[in-house]
Amino acid sequence: MSLSALLAPFAPFASLLAIPMLSSWSTSLNLVFLSLAWTTIAATYSPLQLEAFAPLFIRLTLYVFPSLFFLLFDIGVPSLASEFKSQGRLGIATLQKGGKKKMWRVAGWSVANVLITVALQAGIEFLVTDVFRMRSLLQIKGSKWTLNHLPYPWTMIKHAILGLLARNTIQYYVHTHLLHSPNGGRLADLHQSWHHSVRVPYSFVANYDHPICHILHRFLPLYLPAIALRMHILTYLVLIVFFSLEETFVYSGYNILPSTIMLRGMAKRTDLHMMSEGEGNYGPLGVLDWVHDTTLGKDVMEDLKAEMEKHHVEERASNAIDGAGDAASGFAGKLKAKAGKGRRRK
């Protein structure tokens, strides 16, 4: 089966993502179209189809294809690509230990792990909904009174924040207490011999690991909180979008990234984690590394401080406060003057 045929059943999802970004109409009208698009999709496809094709579509378009593009760019014009790599020529996959053979093994297993986790989620959904005849683990279909409804904005924001915090917390402790700990046993050995066989990262390395380690470290830290909260699938997909882009850029090895505050600092810490073979920087954001003193290099607080100084945040905040104070004083003066005029008239 061709790739286009595989993705065709979920093609409407592309328009669902594009509506809020590409339209120049008002926010209200965007929400109307988003609601109509989601209602159509949810009414057309079963929960099993939605849980299988939507994550697959996102992972392919935001992780697999960009990672392949970066890899082909690196090996196609290594002299130019090395100029954008934090570690220079050491960041080119074909120039690392194992050469092309190792590079394609990393890429192949990375894609395989992505497909395994998508299939695992679809298999769990099939077991729950079709075998045990229970409701879907994620909220997909509305009740008969709220047919295929969108999540309330506040609920979506709340669940997204909780999902982000839970995923990063679980991922940190799995990474430290299982994959980089003597107590991890065989799992730690597998993670070291697979994931840390690459010293300098490129995007495909993010998901290059033994499948069991990958499920524990990359899949469950997001999926388990989503089930516990019974997230709406749109919230879950937004988080998949965010984490797919995170993996693509943070492991890319490039020193030119879209974000100057989060992704760049995360990428530097990831480089140090890989090059030290896992001596620190276990969390994606670096907050828990800062809390537990497992940071290598600059920690997240230093990144925040440097960024604030770069953009003169304190100066702007002070000016804003002074401006607000001046405005308040002026307003109070006007009120006092009006009160004085009122007394003179009497």
mmCIF file of all heavy atoms in Angstrom, residues 28-68:
data_model
loop_
_atom_site.group_PDB
_atom_site.id
_atom_site.type_symbol
_atom_site.label_atom_id
_atom_site.label_comp_id
_atom_site.label_asym_id
_atom_site.label_seq_id
_atom_site.Cartn_x
_atom_site.Cartn_y
_atom_site.Cartn_z
ATOM 1 N N SER A 28 -13.410 34.155 15.772
ATOM 2 C CA SER A 28 -14.718 33.519 15.944
ATOM 3 C C SER A 28 -15.075 32.664 14.732
ATOM 4 O O SER A 28 -15.567 31.546 14.866
ATOM 5 C CB SER A 28 -15.796 34.579 16.169
ATOM 6 O OG SER A 28 -15.536 35.320 17.336
ATOM 7 N N LEU A 29 -14.816 33.211 13.559
ATOM 8 C CA LEU A 29 -15.140 32.466 12.340
ATOM 9 C C LEU A 29 -14.237 31.254 12.208
ATOM 10 O O LEU A 29 -14.666 30.186 11.758
ATOM 11 C CB LEU A 29 -14.987 33.384 11.120
ATOM 12 C CG LEU A 29 -15.652 32.901 9.815
ATOM 13 C CD1 LEU A 29 -17.132 32.640 10.044
ATOM 14 C CD2 LEU A 29 -15.456 33.935 8.723
ATOM 15 N N ASN A 30 -12.959 31.406 12.612
ATOM 16 C CA ASN A 30 -12.053 30.249 12.601
ATOM 17 C C ASN A 30 -12.575 29.132 13.488
ATOM 18 O O ASN A 30 -12.513 27.951 13.134
ATOM 19 C CB ASN A 30 -10.663 30.666 13.094
ATOM 20 C CG ASN A 30 -9.870 31.397 12.028
ATOM 21 O OD1 ASN A 30 -10.109 31.212 10.840
ATOM 22 N ND2 ASN A 30 -8.944 32.235 12.451
ATOM 23 N N LEU A 31 -13.082 29.505 14.658
ATOM 24 C CA LEU A 31 -13.600 28.508 15.583
ATOM 25 C C LEU A 31 -14.831 27.814 15.013
ATOM 26 O O LEU A 31 -15.040 26.624 15.235
ATOM 27 C CB LEU A 31 -13.936 29.159 16.923
ATOM 28 C CG LEU A 31 -12.729 29.628 17.750
ATOM 29 C CD1 LEU A 31 -13.198 30.383 18.986
ATOM 30 C CD2 LEU A 31 -11.850 28.455 18.147
ATOM 31 N N VAL A 32 -15.646 28.551 14.287
ATOM 32 C CA VAL A 32 -16.821 27.949 13.653
ATOM 33 C C VAL A 32 -16.381 26.901 12.639
ATOM 34 O O VAL A 32 -16.888 25.768 12.624
ATOM 35 C CB VAL A 32 -17.690 29.028 12.973
ATOM 36 C CG1 VAL A 32 -18.773 28.376 12.121
ATOM 37 C CG2 VAL A 32 -18.326 29.934 14.016
ATOM 38 N N PHE A 33 -15.417 27.254 11.780
ATOM 39 C CA PHE A 33 -14.931 26.306 10.786
ATOM 40 C C PHE A 33 -14.234 25.121 11.444
ATOM 41 O O PHE A 33 -14.355 23.981 10.993
ATOM 42 C CB PHE A 33 -13.976 27.002 9.816
ATOM 43 C CG PHE A 33 -14.671 27.721 8.699
ATOM 44 C CD1 PHE A 33 -14.874 29.083 8.761
ATOM 45 C CD2 PHE A 33 -15.144 27.034 7.589
ATOM 46 C CE1 PHE A 33 -15.523 29.764 7.734
ATOM 47 C CE2 PHE A 33 -15.804 27.688 6.561
ATOM 48 C CZ PHE A 33 -15.989 29.064 6.628
ATOM 49 N N LEU A 34 -13.483 25.389 12.518
ATOM 50 C CA LEU A 34 -12.825 24.310 13.246
ATOM 51 C C LEU A 34 -13.847 23.346 13.817
ATOM 52 O O LEU A 34 -13.691 22.122 13.735
ATOM 53 C CB LEU A 34 -11.962 24.890 14.361
ATOM 54 C CG LEU A 34 -11.208 23.893 15.245
ATOM 55 C CD1 LEU A 34 -10.212 23.101 14.415
ATOM 56 C CD2 LEU A 34 -10.507 24.609 16.374
ATOM 57 N N SER A 35 -14.911 23.895 14.387
ATOM 58 C CA SER A 35 -15.957 23.060 14.960
ATOM 59 C C SER A 35 -16.636 22.220 13.884
ATOM 60 O O SER A 35 -16.884 21.023 14.074
ATOM 61 C CB SER A 35 -16.983 23.948 15.672
ATOM 62 O OG SER A 35 -18.006 23.166 16.229
ATOM 63 N N LEU A 36 -16.925 22.837 12.736
ATOM 64 C CA LEU A 36 -17.562 22.103 11.643
ATOM 65 C C LEU A 36 -16.639 21.010 11.102
ATOM 66 O O LEU A 36 -17.088 19.886 10.832
ATOM 67 C CB LEU A 36 -17.943 23.072 10.515
ATOM 68 C CG LEU A 36 -19.098 24.041 10.810
ATOM 69 C CD1 LEU A 36 -19.246 25.047 9.674
ATOM 70 C CD2 LEU A 36 -20.404 23.291 11.021
ATOM 71 N N ALA A 37 -15.344 21.359 10.955
ATOM 72 C CA ALA A 37 -14.391 20.367 10.446
ATOM 73 C C ALA A 37 -14.278 19.189 11.399
ATOM 74 O O ALA A 37 -14.282 18.024 10.979
ATOM 75 C CB ALA A 37 -13.026 21.022 10.240
ATOM 76 N N TRP A 38 -14.186 19.484 12.711
ATOM 77 C CA TRP A 38 -14.073 18.401 13.680
ATOM 78 C C TRP A 38 -15.337 17.563 13.730
ATOM 79 O O TRP A 38 -15.275 16.332 13.819
ATOM 80 C CB TRP A 38 -13.755 18.951 15.067
ATOM 81 C CG TRP A 38 -13.807 17.866 16.102
ATOM 82 C CD1 TRP A 38 -14.719 17.689 17.083
ATOM 83 C CD2 TRP A 38 -12.922 16.743 16.185
ATOM 84 N NE1 TRP A 38 -14.458 16.552 17.793
ATOM 85 C CE2 TRP A 38 -13.355 15.948 17.263
ATOM 86 C CE3 TRP A 38 -11.799 16.344 15.463
ATOM 87 C CZ2 TRP A 38 -12.703 14.787 17.628
ATOM 88 C CZ3 TRP A 38 -11.151 15.178 15.822
ATOM 89 C CH2 TRP A 38 -11.613 14.417 16.899
ATOM 90 N N THR A 39 -16.498 18.208 13.678
ATOM 91 C CA THR A 39 -17.754 17.469 13.701
ATOM 92 C C THR A 39 -17.835 16.513 12.521
ATOM 93 O O THR A 39 -18.257 15.358 12.658
ATOM 94 C CB THR A 39 -18.956 18.443 13.664
ATOM 95 O OG1 THR A 39 -18.891 19.302 14.804
ATOM 96 C CG2 THR A 39 -20.275 17.684 13.682
ATOM 97 N N THR A 40 -17.396 16.982 11.342
ATOM 98 C CA THR A 40 -17.407 16.131 10.151
ATOM 99 C C THR A 40 -16.460 14.945 10.304
ATOM 100 O O THR A 40 -16.815 13.799 10.009
ATOM 101 C CB THR A 40 -17.002 16.958 8.917
ATOM 102 O OG1 THR A 40 -17.906 18.051 8.764
ATOM 103 C CG2 THR A 40 -17.023 16.092 7.659
ATOM 104 N N ILE A 41 -15.252 15.227 10.791
ATOM 105 C CA ILE A 41 -14.260 14.160 10.957
ATOM 106 C C ILE A 41 -14.724 13.146 11.999
ATOM 107 O O ILE A 41 -14.662 11.931 11.785
ATOM 108 C CB ILE A 41 -12.901 14.762 11.354
ATOM 109 C CG1 ILE A 41 -12.303 15.525 10.174
ATOM 110 C CG2 ILE A 41 -11.932 13.677 11.815
ATOM 111 C CD1 ILE A 41 -11.057 16.301 10.517
ATOM 112 N N ALA A 42 -15.185 13.646 13.157
ATOM 113 C CA ALA A 42 -15.594 12.744 14.232
ATOM 114 C C ALA A 42 -16.813 11.916 13.858
ATOM 115 O O ALA A 42 -16.968 10.790 14.331
ATOM 116 C CB ALA A 42 -15.880 13.552 15.500
ATOM 117 N N ALA A 43 -17.685 12.473 13.017
ATOM 118 C CA ALA A 43 -18.868 11.729 12.597
ATOM 119 C C ALA A 43 -18.540 10.705 11.515
ATOM 120 O O ALA A 43 -19.251 9.717 11.343
ATOM 121 C CB ALA A 43 -19.937 12.694 12.089
ATOM 122 N N THR A 44 -17.459 10.946 10.781
ATOM 123 C CA THR A 44 -17.106 10.081 9.650
ATOM 124 C C THR A 44 -16.275 8.874 10.078
ATOM 125 O O THR A 44 -16.461 7.776 9.561
ATOM 126 C CB THR A 44 -16.339 10.890 8.586
ATOM 127 O OG1 THR A 44 -17.124 12.014 8.186
ATOM 128 C CG2 THR A 44 -16.022 10.024 7.369
ATOM 129 N N TYR A 45 -15.362 9.087 11.031
ATOM 130 C CA TYR A 45 -14.416 8.036 11.397
ATOM 131 C C TYR A 45 -14.663 7.525 12.808
ATOM 132 O O TYR A 45 -15.127 8.249 13.682
ATOM 133 C CB TYR A 45 -12.977 8.557 11.274
ATOM 134 C CG TYR A 45 -12.648 9.046 9.891
ATOM 135 C CD1 TYR A 45 -12.566 10.412 9.618
ATOM 136 C CD2 TYR A 45 -12.429 8.155 8.849
ATOM 137 C CE1 TYR A 45 -12.277 10.868 8.345
ATOM 138 C CE2 TYR A 45 -12.146 8.596 7.579
ATOM 139 C CZ TYR A 45 -12.068 9.957 7.318
ATOM 140 O OH TYR A 45 -11.787 10.399 6.058
ATOM 141 N N SER A 46 -14.319 6.280 13.004
ATOM 142 C CA SER A 46 -14.482 5.658 14.316
ATOM 143 C C SER A 46 -13.366 6.114 15.240
ATOM 144 O O SER A 46 -12.327 6.607 14.782
ATOM 145 C CB SER A 46 -14.430 4.134 14.169
ATOM 146 O OG SER A 46 -13.118 3.725 13.793
ATOM 147 N N PRO A 47 -13.549 5.949 16.573
ATOM 148 C CA PRO A 47 -12.461 6.277 17.489
ATOM 149 C C PRO A 47 -11.166 5.551 17.161
ATOM 150 O O PRO A 47 -10.081 6.120 17.295
ATOM 151 C CB PRO A 47 -13.020 5.839 18.847
ATOM 152 C CG PRO A 47 -14.498 5.990 18.706
ATOM 153 C CD PRO A 47 -14.785 5.596 17.281
ATOM 154 N N LEU A 48 -11.282 4.301 16.714
ATOM 155 C CA LEU A 48 -10.091 3.537 16.368
ATOM 156 C C LEU A 48 -9.351 4.184 15.199
ATOM 157 O O LEU A 48 -8.125 4.314 15.212
ATOM 158 C CB LEU A 48 -10.470 2.096 16.017
ATOM 159 C CG LEU A 48 -9.321 1.170 15.596
ATOM 160 C CD1 LEU A 48 -8.293 1.087 16.701
ATOM 161 C CD2 LEU A 48 -9.853 -0.207 15.237
ATOM 162 N N GLN A 49 -10.095 4.609 14.172
ATOM 163 C CA GLN A 49 -9.465 5.256 13.022
ATOM 164 C C GLN A 49 -8.815 6.579 13.423
ATOM 165 O O GLN A 49 -7.716 6.900 12.979
ATOM 166 C CB GLN A 49 -10.502 5.488 11.923
ATOM 167 C CG GLN A 49 -10.962 4.215 11.230
ATOM 168 C CD GLN A 49 -12.068 4.486 10.228
ATOM 169 O OE1 GLN A 49 -13.054 5.154 10.540
ATOM 170 N NE2 GLN A 49 -11.903 3.981 9.017
ATOM 171 N N LEU A 50 -9.508 7.332 14.269
ATOM 172 C CA LEU A 50 -8.979 8.623 14.698
ATOM 173 C C LEU A 50 -7.704 8.457 15.514
ATOM 174 O O LEU A 50 -6.731 9.197 15.329
ATOM 175 C CB LEU A 50 -10.026 9.377 15.525
ATOM 176 C CG LEU A 50 -11.245 9.885 14.743
ATOM 177 C CD1 LEU A 50 -12.292 10.426 15.695
ATOM 178 C CD2 LEU A 50 -10.836 10.966 13.754
ATOM 179 N N GLU A 51 -7.684 7.485 16.403
ATOM 180 C CA GLU A 51 -6.504 7.273 17.253
ATOM 181 C C GLU A 51 -5.351 6.653 16.474
ATOM 182 O O GLU A 51 -4.202 6.730 16.904
ATOM 183 C CB GLU A 51 -6.854 6.407 18.454
ATOM 184 C CG GLU A 51 -7.626 7.153 19.524
ATOM 185 C CD GLU A 51 -7.428 6.554 20.910
ATOM 186 O OE1 GLU A 51 -6.281 6.216 21.257
ATOM 187 O OE2 GLU A 51 -8.426 6.417 21.628
ATOM 188 N N ALA A 52 -5.635 6.043 15.333
ATOM 189 C CA ALA A 52 -4.565 5.457 14.534
ATOM 190 C C ALA A 52 -4.010 6.453 13.519
ATOM 191 O O ALA A 52 -2.796 6.677 13.442
ATOM 192 C CB ALA A 52 -5.078 4.207 13.812
ATOM 193 N N PHE A 53 -4.900 7.067 12.737
ATOM 194 C CA PHE A 53 -4.438 7.896 11.630
ATOM 195 C C PHE A 53 -3.967 9.284 12.058
ATOM 196 O O PHE A 53 -3.041 9.827 11.464
ATOM 197 C CB PHE A 53 -5.545 8.026 10.569
ATOM 198 C CG PHE A 53 -5.730 6.791 9.751
ATOM 199 C CD1 PHE A 53 -6.834 5.987 9.924
ATOM 200 C CD2 PHE A 53 -4.774 6.412 8.819
ATOM 201 C CE1 PHE A 53 -7.007 4.834 9.174
ATOM 202 C CE2 PHE A 53 -4.933 5.255 8.064
ATOM 203 C CZ PHE A 53 -6.046 4.466 8.239
ATOM 204 N N ALA A 54 -4.610 9.885 13.073
ATOM 205 C CA ALA A 54 -4.216 11.242 13.457
ATOM 206 C C ALA A 54 -2.789 11.290 14.009
ATOM 207 O O ALA A 54 -1.971 12.092 13.540
ATOM 208 C CB ALA A 54 -5.210 11.818 14.465
ATOM 209 N N PRO A 55 -2.432 10.462 15.005
ATOM 210 C CA PRO A 55 -1.037 10.474 15.454
ATOM 211 C C PRO A 55 -0.047 10.087 14.360
ATOM 212 O O PRO A 55 1.046 10.649 14.285
ATOM 213 C CB PRO A 55 -1.018 9.443 16.593
ATOM 214 C CG PRO A 55 -2.432 9.390 17.075
ATOM 215 C CD PRO A 55 -3.259 9.567 15.841
ATOM 216 N N LEU A 56 -0.444 9.137 13.501
ATOM 217 C CA LEU A 56 0.433 8.730 12.401
ATOM 218 C C LEU A 56 0.697 9.903 11.466
ATOM 219 O O LEU A 56 1.848 10.165 11.072
ATOM 220 C CB LEU A 56 -0.196 7.570 11.621
ATOM 221 C CG LEU A 56 0.571 7.105 10.372
ATOM 222 C CD1 LEU A 56 1.941 6.565 10.765
ATOM 223 C CD2 LEU A 56 -0.229 6.061 9.610
ATOM 224 N N PHE A 57 -0.349 10.627 11.120
ATOM 225 C CA PHE A 57 -0.230 11.783 10.234
ATOM 226 C C PHE A 57 0.713 12.826 10.838
ATOM 227 O O PHE A 57 1.604 13.350 10.163
ATOM 228 C CB PHE A 57 -1.622 12.385 9.997
ATOM 229 C CG PHE A 57 -1.626 13.605 9.124
ATOM 230 C CD1 PHE A 57 -1.695 13.489 7.744
ATOM 231 C CD2 PHE A 57 -1.557 14.875 9.672
ATOM 232 C CE1 PHE A 57 -1.693 14.613 6.930
ATOM 233 C CE2 PHE A 57 -1.565 16.010 8.881
ATOM 234 C CZ PHE A 57 -1.625 15.879 7.503
ATOM 235 N N ILE A 58 0.536 13.119 12.112
ATOM 236 C CA ILE A 58 1.360 14.136 12.774
ATOM 237 C C ILE A 58 2.811 13.687 12.880
ATOM 238 O O ILE A 58 3.741 14.451 12.588
ATOM 239 C CB ILE A 58 0.797 14.451 14.173
ATOM 240 C CG1 ILE A 58 -0.557 15.154 14.051
ATOM 241 C CG2 ILE A 58 1.766 15.321 14.967
ATOM 242 C CD1 ILE A 58 -1.289 15.318 15.366
ATOM 243 N N ARG A 59 3.010 12.442 13.289
ATOM 244 C CA ARG A 59 4.375 11.955 13.479
ATOM 245 C C ARG A 59 5.142 11.907 12.153
ATOM 246 O O ARG A 59 6.332 12.202 12.107
ATOM 247 C CB ARG A 59 4.353 10.572 14.128
ATOM 248 C CG ARG A 59 3.779 10.556 15.526
ATOM 249 C CD ARG A 59 4.645 11.322 16.494
ATOM 250 N NE ARG A 59 5.781 10.518 16.945
ATOM 251 C CZ ARG A 59 6.902 11.040 17.436
ATOM 252 N NH1 ARG A 59 7.050 12.344 17.492
ATOM 253 N NH2 ARG A 59 7.872 10.251 17.853
ATOM 254 N N LEU A 60 4.436 11.542 11.079
ATOM 255 C CA LEU A 60 5.097 11.507 9.774
ATOM 256 C C LEU A 60 5.435 12.905 9.279
ATOM 257 O O LEU A 60 6.543 13.158 8.801
ATOM 258 C CB LEU A 60 4.219 10.785 8.749
ATOM 259 C CG LEU A 60 4.075 9.270 8.895
ATOM 260 C CD1 LEU A 60 3.117 8.732 7.846
ATOM 261 C CD2 LEU A 60 5.427 8.567 8.780
ATOM 262 N N THR A 61 4.484 13.825 9.387
ATOM 263 C CA THR A 61 4.673 15.153 8.810
ATOM 264 C C THR A 61 5.543 16.069 9.657
ATOM 265 O O THR A 61 6.210 16.963 9.115
ATOM 266 C CB THR A 61 3.319 15.844 8.567
ATOM 267 O OG1 THR A 61 2.565 15.873 9.793
ATOM 268 C CG2 THR A 61 2.507 15.109 7.511
ATOM 269 N N LEU A 62 5.567 15.875 10.974
ATOM 270 C CA LEU A 62 6.301 16.797 11.842
ATOM 271 C C LEU A 62 7.561 16.188 12.455
ATOM 272 O O LEU A 62 8.343 16.918 13.051
ATOM 273 C CB LEU A 62 5.386 17.310 12.956
ATOM 274 C CG LEU A 62 4.180 18.128 12.502
ATOM 275 C CD1 LEU A 62 3.402 18.644 13.706
ATOM 276 C CD2 LEU A 62 4.589 19.288 11.607
ATOM 277 N N TYR A 63 7.733 14.882 12.315
ATOM 278 C CA TYR A 63 8.968 14.282 12.831
ATOM 279 C C TYR A 63 9.726 13.493 11.758
ATOM 280 O O TYR A 63 10.870 13.809 11.439
ATOM 281 C CB TYR A 63 8.685 13.381 14.030
ATOM 282 C CG TYR A 63 9.925 12.631 14.471
ATOM 283 C CD1 TYR A 63 10.978 13.308 15.095
ATOM 284 C CD2 TYR A 63 10.080 11.266 14.216
ATOM 285 C CE1 TYR A 63 12.137 12.649 15.460
ATOM 286 C CE2 TYR A 63 11.238 10.598 14.585
ATOM 287 C CZ TYR A 63 12.268 11.291 15.199
ATOM 288 O OH TYR A 63 13.423 10.637 15.550
ATOM 289 N N VAL A 64 9.086 12.491 11.155
ATOM 290 C CA VAL A 64 9.799 11.603 10.231
ATOM 291 C C VAL A 64 10.280 12.350 8.992
ATOM 292 O O VAL A 64 11.471 12.308 8.638
ATOM 293 C CB VAL A 64 8.920 10.405 9.837
ATOM 294 C CG1 VAL A 64 9.611 9.573 8.754
ATOM 295 C CG2 VAL A 64 8.632 9.526 11.055
ATOM 296 N N PHE A 65 9.370 13.056 8.311
ATOM 297 C CA PHE A 65 9.762 13.734 7.074
ATOM 298 C C PHE A 65 10.770 14.865 7.318
ATOM 299 O O PHE A 65 11.757 14.977 6.588
ATOM 300 C CB PHE A 65 8.525 14.258 6.345
ATOM 301 C CG PHE A 65 7.619 13.167 5.825
ATOM 302 C CD1 PHE A 65 6.274 13.409 5.591
ATOM 303 C CD2 PHE A 65 8.105 11.897 5.568
ATOM 304 C CE1 PHE A 65 5.435 12.409 5.115
ATOM 305 C CE2 PHE A 65 7.284 10.888 5.094
ATOM 306 C CZ PHE A 65 5.942 11.138 4.863
ATOM 307 N N PRO A 66 10.575 15.734 8.331
ATOM 308 C CA PRO A 66 11.603 16.754 8.592
ATOM 309 C C PRO A 66 12.954 16.151 8.981
ATOM 310 O O PRO A 66 14.005 16.660 8.579
ATOM 311 C CB PRO A 66 11.008 17.567 9.750
ATOM 312 C CG PRO A 66 9.540 17.364 9.653
ATOM 313 C CD PRO A 66 9.378 15.960 9.165
ATOM 314 N N SER A 67 12.922 15.066 9.767
ATOM 315 C CA SER A 67 14.180 14.419 10.154
ATOM 316 C C SER A 67 14.903 13.862 8.935
ATOM 317 O O SER A 67 16.137 13.949 8.832
ATOM 318 C CB SER A 67 13.895 13.280 11.157
ATOM 319 O OG SER A 67 13.338 13.790 12.345
ATOM 320 N N LEU A 68 14.132 13.301 8.000
ATOM 321 C CA LEU A 68 14.721 12.782 6.767
ATOM 322 C C LEU A 68 15.298 13.922 5.933
ATOM 323 O O LEU A 68 16.393 13.797 5.357
ATOM 324 C CB LEU A 68 13.669 12.011 5.968
ATOM 325 C CG LEU A 68 14.137 11.384 4.655
ATOM 326 C CD1 LEU A 68 15.260 10.377 4.902
ATOM 327 C CD2 LEU A 68 12.964 10.716 3.936
#
